[in-house]
């Protein structure tokens, strides 16, 4: 589903989507990314090794760095970042979460997913669930996502009936 959604996006919407999918960050913090938070040299399209989410933009009010996945790095090198302060600029400074939600709604309609319960938080939920499914410890996921509480983090992890059967089969 994420690949299908990405296909109907273009320009900065695609790179925004990629950052959401490969960092698991909340969309509000992604909206407020500055070019220097992602790119070491924007003129040469050279990303840092990490995306830096500044304390002033995160829910936990703590700066967090998320390593850049190779696919995200490739896409960042192919993208021409703006030369302004903001990675996603708008007339008001940077793009708002509401504007990002609006482009997501259009993409969901194009994919006929508007009734599937997607939201801007779906990329975060999917990110966390996928890491967990691949055997990454909840403590490591907590470090990546910045959750203060393991209880809150565990609420993001979706478990399928197949996973339950596979777990029992391991006994």
């Amino acid at each position: 589903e994420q690949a299908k959604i990405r296909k109907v996006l273009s320009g900065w919407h695609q790179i925004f989507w990629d950052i959401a999918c490969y960092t698991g960050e909340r969309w509000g913090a992604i909206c407020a990314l500055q070019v220097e938070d992602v790119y070491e040299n924007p003129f040469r399209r050279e990303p840092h090794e990490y995306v830096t989410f500044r304390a002033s933009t995160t829910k936990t009010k703590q700066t967090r760095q998320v390593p850049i996945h190779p696919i995200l790095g490739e896409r960042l090198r192919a993208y021409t970042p703006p030369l302004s302060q903001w990675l996603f600029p708008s007339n008001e400074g940077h793009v708002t979460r509401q504007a990002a939600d609006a482009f997501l709604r259009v993409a969901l309609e194009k994919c006929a997913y508007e009734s599937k319960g997607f939201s801007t938080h779906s990329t975060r939920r999917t990110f966390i669930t996928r890491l967990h499914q691949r055997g990454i410890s909840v403590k490591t996921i907590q470090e990546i996502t910045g959750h203060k509480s393991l209880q809150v983090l565990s609420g993001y992890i979706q478990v399928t009936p197949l996973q339950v059967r596979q777990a029992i089969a391991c006994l």
Side-chain angles (χ1 to χ4, degrees):
E1 293 174 336
Q2 283 188 339
K4 187 174 179 181
I5 294 169
R6 186 183 191 280
K7 260 188 184 170
V8 302
L9 298 171
S10 61
W12 71 267
H13 296 158
Q14 259 188 348
I15 204 70
F16 190 106
W17 179 257
D18 293 336
I19 291 170
C21 290
Y22 285 100
T23 67
E25 187 53 73
R26 292 173 185 86
W27 283 39
I30 296 170
C31 289
L33 280 170
Q34 295 184 28
V35 174
E36 66 184 27
D37 297 334
V38 178
Y39 287 93
E40 188 171 325
N41 186 331
F43 299 102
R44 288 203 228 131
R45 301 181 191 171
E46 293 174 359
H48 291 291
E49 291 182 30
Y50 296 85
V51 174
T52 300
F53 296 100
R54 297 169 187 249
S56 60
T57 69
T58 65
K59 185 176 177 182
T60 59
K61 300 300 179 204
Q62 293 182 335
T63 297
R64 199 169 57 262
Q65 292 186 309
V66 178
I68 292 178
H69 186 279
I71 292 171
L72 177 57
E74 182 180 306
R75 291 176 179 170
L76 288 168
R77 284 186 287 282
Y79 178 69
T80 303
L83 300 178
S84 69
Q85 172 184 6
W86 305 108
L87 187 59
F88 305 110
S90 75
N91 293 336
E92 298 82 39
H94 61 74
V95 70
T96 64
R97 199 186 59 70
Q98 292 79 6
D101 182 72
F103 88 68
L104 175 62
R105 297 285 142 225
V106 171
L108 293 173
E109 284 179 31
K110 288 180 182 178
C111 295
Y113 289 165
E114 63 270 26
S115 63
K116 288 197 169 198
F118 279 96
S119 72
T120 57
H121 223 59
S122 296
T123 51
R124 186 166 173 83
R125 182 176 302 282
T126 300
F127 176 85
I128 291 168
T129 297
R130 284 185 175 167
L131 288 176
H132 186 262
Q133 287 171 342
R134 287 170 174 84
I136 306 302
S137 75
V138 290
K139 288 297 283 178
T140 302
I141 297 169
Q142 182 182 29
E143 180 69 23
I144 294 167
T145 61
H147 281 96
K148 292 194 182 235
S149 159
L150 285 175
Q151 182 177 358
V152 172
L153 173 60
S154 69
Y156 281 83
I157 299 169
Q158 299 171 334
V159 178
T160 66
L162 174 60
Q163 289 173 301
V164 172
R165 287 193 301 275
Q166 288 172 335
I168 296 301
C170 287
L171 296 174

